[in-house]
Amino acid sequence: MKRPAPPGMTRSDFDYAVRIGHPIIYRINPPLDSRTVAGRKAAEREQLAKLRAPRVKTSAARRARLIAMERGLPGCGTDTQADRLLRALRTGPVTTHEARQYLDLPCPASRVLALRQRGYEFEKRWIVQAGPAGWFHKYVEYRLTGSGGA
């Protein structure tokens, strides 16, 4: 597998520099070996350990319920999105990742703010959850604590 040429350098210039062993190439684009990959994985494990948040995985049944809620209340208006989030929160806590991916809410925090302005109360906590590409990220998990609504 060929390494990509750095920005601003043509493929032929890059190949020539690699062939002659020019030192600048290895500073711009170091070769990957098993130690480098293992080091990156170890650094990722260290970073996850530092997050100190519980890991959460969305079950298949929960995913199906959230997708059904999204299809049951279609639309992209802010009130519709807030109602969709409220309906999901009444069944249990919802993470920002779940809201974006399964409830089709591009910005869940804005919808939570809209619901707070309607009088609903929330509890939030940080969790670690795998994103769409499989990498772990910190997300907020919202839980409805009080009933509201004006």
Side-chain angles (χ1 to χ4, degrees):
M1 182 173 107
K2 285 188 171 185
R3 288 180 285 148
M9 186 179 257
T10 65
R11 180 82 231 173
S12 60
D13 289 345
F14 179 71
D15 289 340
Y16 175 73
V18 168
R19 204 170 34 251
I20 66 168
H22 197 282
I24 191 73
I25 295 304
Y26 295 105
R27 275 184 271 148
I28 294 173
N29 198 352
L32 288 177
D33 61 358
S34 60
R35 287 178 295 178
T36 307
V37 173
R40 287 182 183 171
K41 287 183 179 177
E44 184 184 338
R45 281 193 301 270
E46 262 180 46
Q47 185 181 7
L48 282 174
K50 287 179 188 174
L51 292 177
R52 297 185 191 276
R55 288 190 186 181
V56 175
K57 184 171 182 179
T58 307
S59 69
R62 174 112 176 112
R63 267 195 309 270
R65 280 197 308 272
L66 291 172
I67 291 169
M69 283 179 204
E70 188 270 330
R71 289 184 181 151
L73 196 57
C76 60
T78 55
D79 290 335
T80 305
Q81 290 180 8
D83 292 340
R84 193 180 311 143
L85 179 61
L86 182 61
R87 186 184 288 183
L89 283 164
R90 286 186 172 143
T91 66
V94 176
T95 66
T96 52
H97 168 66
E98 292 170 342
R100 283 187 191 108
Q101 189 152 10
Y102 308 122
L103 294 173
D104 195 26
L105 302 177
C107 188
S110 298
R111 304 298 79 88
V112 168
L113 177 62
L115 290 171
R116 279 193 175 125
Q117 290 171 346
R118 288 191 203 171
Y120 292 95
E121 296 173 11
F122 297 93
E123 176 185 303
K124 76 177 193 178
R125 72 176 182 142
W126 288 96
I127 58 144
V128 174
Q129 192 172 26
W135 296 95
F136 285 98
H137 302 280
K138 281 180 87 172
Y139 293 102
V140 173
E141 180 183 73
Y142 293 104
R143 183 182 305 266
L144 195 60
T145 57
S147 63

